[in-house]
Structure formats: C-alpha cells, structure tokens
Amino acid sequence: MIREDKQALVDELSEKFQSHNAFYIADASGMSVAKINEFRRLCFTRGMEFKVYKNTFIRKALDTLGGDTAEMDAALKGQSGILFSKESGNAPAKLLQEFYKAQAYGKGVEPKPALKGAYVDASIYVGANQLETLSTIKGKNELIGEVIGLLQSPAKNVISALSSGGNILAGLIKTLSEKEEVAG
C-alpha cells in the first residue's frame, strides 16, 4: 500500500470518528468468516457498521479527534475492528450483549468479538469489563429528555393542583348555594 493510500484510509477513518458520537474497538480474531458476517449483518440491521483496521491507522485517526486519547492505546493490540454507531452510545454495547447471548458462550469462554475499548461522547472506556457499564449509560438525547421531563413536572403539578382546586372551590360554592336555597 502506497503512502497516499494509507493517508486516504486514515482520513476516511478520522472522518468516521468525527461523524459518529460512539465507536467501539473489538477483537474478532478467532471468529469464523460466517460468524463475522453474521455479526456484520446484525450491525447493519441496527444502523451500525463493523470494519477491521490496522492499529497504526486507528492511532493516527484518534490523534485527529483532539483531546487525550492515550488511554485507547491499551485497546490497540492484536486485531482490531471498529463498531461505529451514530445512535446512542449504549447501542453497540447492547448489540454485543445480544450477540453473545445468541451465541451461547460457555463458562470460561471469551465471547467474540471481544470489547477492547470504547469512545462515547468524548469519554474513553477500556477493557471487556466495561461492557455492562457501557450498556447502561444514557445518551445525550435520553438525558435531554429526562431534563425536559423534570423541568415540566413542577409546572404540570401546579396546573393540576390549580385545576383540581378550582373544581373543589366550584363544588363548595355550589353546595353552599344549594344549602341557602333549601334554607330560604
């Protein structure tokens, strides 16, 4: 591969890193071609992409992200495939867990593709032990929705109290007026 081709590949990867708010680095070594294709199909149906890259290209592309990505160096050993997601940061983790469950890995067998590291909304997670954490984190849109819900909640409570209070007040006035008519 000539230098221009390598630079084009790094540029393509850098662009993908910039356009995806989350990407996971996984090791698919030891998987059969059929299993890798099955995993890629699952990724495609969920709007994600899984592609294998050389670690040196990944490192060079990570340097274009800005910020400190040195923690990811621990994940750049052996064969590396990248799982790209434009959705929430936890979607790839849930996909990996679902794939592992469908493969029914036995006890003591490392599930593949094994999570090596993840970059989610400028946060870095390294190691397969981070999969559970990654599957439970909330994306930016989910957090914004929760904040909006919390902000709307007090206003809804006030409106509800006022409208139910108005009904109670109207009921009281009606009852008092009926008592006056009966008494009069």
Side-chain angles (χ1 to χ4, degrees), residues 38 52 56 60-61 63 66 84 96 100 121 165 172 182:
E38 181 183 339
V52 176
T56 53
K60 288 178 181 181
D63 289 339
F84 295 101
L96 284 169
Y100 296 164
D121 293 327
L172 257 149
V182 173

Side-chain angles (χ1 to χ4, degrees), residues 48-126:
M48 295 179 230
E49 176 187 2
F50 181 74
K51 194 169 180 182
V52 176
Y53 292 94
K54 289 181 80 173
N55 290 327
T56 53
F57 295 154
I58 296 170
R59 176 73 259 154
K60 288 178 181 181
L62 283 172
D63 289 339
T64 65
L65 282 176
D68 185 17
T69 58
E71 281 183 76
M72 285 295 245
D73 289 344
L76 298 177
K77 307 237 183 308
Q79 185 183 20
S80 298
I82 301 181
L83 180 59
F84 295 101
S85 173
K86 286 187 179 182
E87 296 177 22
S88 65
N90 64 2
K94 289 179 178 180
L95 177 113
L96 284 169
Q97 287 179 327
E98 183 181 318
F99 188 75
Y100 296 164
K101 193 174 188 179
Q103 302 307 308
Y105 286 102
K107 192 172 189 165
V109 177
E110 181 184 19
K112 294 284 185 168
L115 176 68
K116 295 184 347 178
Y119 182 92
V120 180
D121 293 327
S123 296
I124 295 173
Y125 303 85
V126 177

Side-chain angles (χ1 to χ4, degrees), residues 97-175:
Q97 287 179 327
E98 183 181 318
F99 188 75
Y100 296 164
K101 193 174 188 179
Q103 302 307 308
Y105 286 102
K107 192 172 189 165
V109 177
E110 181 184 19
K112 294 284 185 168
L115 176 68
K116 295 184 347 178
Y119 182 92
V120 180
D121 293 327
S123 296
I124 295 173
Y125 303 85
V126 177
N129 60 338
Q130 297 292 320
L131 187 61
E132 189 63 36
T133 302
L134 287 163
S135 68
T136 59
I137 61 173
K138 294 183 180 180
K140 185 170 38 173
N141 290 338
E142 291 171 305
L143 291 173
I144 289 171
E146 282 186 13
V147 168
I148 289 171
L150 289 171
L151 292 173
Q152 287 179 341
S153 182
K156 286 181 182 177
N157 289 342
V158 168
I159 292 169
S160 175
L162 288 175
S163 65
S164 68
N167 293 339
I168 292 171
L169 187 58
L172 257 149
I173 292 172
K174 183 179 178 187
T175 304

Side-chain angles (χ1 to χ4, degrees), residues 33-44:
V33 172
K35 287 292 177 194
I36 290 174
N37 288 338
E38 181 183 339
F39 182 69
R40 283 188 172 143
R41 250 184 259 107
L42 182 62
C43 292
F44 181 76

